[in-house]
């Protein structure tokens, strides 16, 4: 419906069953018969919130943000204003310190202060080390405790980015985050 319909999109209900980020090379036909490892879903995490926030979405691969600084493809500050930022990673799984630096950089450019909310992907599980990087702590430490942006809604562990199942979220669509009832429409 997101891609092929003009209908108003319904509530984005959270995944409550399973997820995976195990990568199997699609070009190998044998891999199409292998069931990927599934992880139990723990649901979305509402890190800080209150009230209802409604505005258009703006999307970005968090790894690419530093490359846009000073270029013509970087949105102007007005284009960030009141937007709900949807962020996902590349498949490289950046270390926490790199993620922290990018978040601070968004603050120093006045981008974080302009936003109406942030939706964050479910970080991938590295199946070789069985480690899933916890970006939630970085977000709370930097945005809430260091920068004092306590009213900025942050919802993490969402099903988009490089995990399956995967939500399709369009750019520049109107979205509503109802923090009091923990719903996204």
């Amino acid at each position: 419906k997101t891609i092929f319909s003009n209908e108003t999109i319904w509530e984005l209900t959270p995944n409550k069953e399973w997820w995976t980020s195990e990568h199997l090379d699609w070009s190998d036909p044998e891999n199409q018969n292998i069931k990927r490892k599934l992880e139990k879903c723990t649901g979305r995490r509402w890190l800080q919130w209150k009230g209802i926030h409604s505005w258009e979405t703006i999307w970005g691969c968090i790894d690419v943000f530093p490359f846009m600084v000073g270029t013509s493809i970087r949105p102007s500050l007005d284009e960030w204003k009141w937007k709900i930022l949807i962020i996902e990673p590349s498949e490289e799984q950046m270390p926490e310190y790199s993620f922290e630096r990018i978040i601070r950089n968004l603050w120093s450019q006045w981008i974080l202060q302009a936003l109406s909310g942030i939706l964050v992907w479910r970080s991938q599980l590295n199946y070789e080390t069985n480690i899933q990087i916890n970006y939630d702590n970085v977000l709370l430490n930097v945005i809430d405790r260091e920068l004092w942006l306590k009213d900025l809604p942050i919802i993490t562990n969402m099903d988009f980015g490089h995990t399956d199942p995967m939500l399709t979220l369009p750019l520049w669509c109107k979205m509503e985050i109802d923090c009091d009832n923990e719903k996204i429409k």
Side-chain angles (χ1 to χ4, degrees), residues 15-54:
N15 174 18
K16 295 182 179 179
E17 297 177 20
W18 57 266
W19 68 278
T20 186
S21 61
E22 182 180 20
H23 176 73
L24 297 174
D25 185 2
W26 296 355
S27 66
D28 183 352
E30 293 296 317
N31 286 340
Q32 296 177 20
N33 299 317
I34 298 173
K35 186 172 178 156
R36 295 188 290 169
K37 297 173 189 167
L38 301 178
E39 306 298 323
K40 183 168 174 33
C41 190
T42 57
R44 295 177 182 157
R45 296 185 193 121
W46 295 72
L47 299 188
Q48 60 180 36
W49 68 89
K50 68 179 180 180
I52 296 175
H53 302 261
S54 181

Side-chain angles (χ1 to χ4, degrees), residues 39 125-132:
E39 306 298 323
L125 176 63
N126 183 325
Y127 286 94
E128 293 172 10
T129 61
N130 204 32
I131 293 175
Q132 184 176 11

Side-chain angles (χ1 to χ4, degrees), residues 77-96:
L77 189 55
D78 283 340
E79 290 174 287
W80 294 98
K81 195 167 270 184
W82 301 110
K83 297 293 190 287
I84 296 171
L85 175 62
I86 300 171
I87 53 176
E88 67 169 333
S90 70
E91 293 182 348
E92 294 176 358
Q93 231 181 5
M94 75 169 65
E96 288 182 20

Side-chain angles (χ1 to χ4, degrees), residues 134-145:
N134 187 352
Y135 297 107
D136 293 7
N137 288 337
V138 172
L139 286 165
L140 278 177
N141 285 333
V142 175
I143 293 177
D144 179 46
R145 297 180 189 114

Side-chain angles (χ1 to χ4, degrees), residues 2 10-21 36 38-46 59 86-89 118-125 127 132 136 155-170 175 184:
T2 302
W10 60 98
E11 180 182 343
L12 301 175
T13 56
N15 174 18
K16 295 182 179 179
E17 297 177 20
W18 57 266
W19 68 278
T20 186
S21 61
R36 295 188 290 169
L38 301 178
E39 306 298 323
K40 183 168 174 33
C41 190
T42 57
R44 295 177 182 157
R45 296 185 193 121
W46 295 72
W59 185 288
I86 300 171
I87 53 176
E88 67 169 333
I118 303 176
L119 304 180
V120 185
W121 76 97
R122 175 192 316 281
S123 66
Q124 298 166 257
L125 176 63
Y127 286 94
Q132 184 176 11
D136 293 7
I155 298 92
T156 69
N157 214 30
M158 294 199 53
D159 295 302
F160 58 82
H162 297 283
T163 62
D164 289 309
M166 186 184 308
L167 286 172
T168 301
L169 301 174
M175 183 174 282
I184 301 172

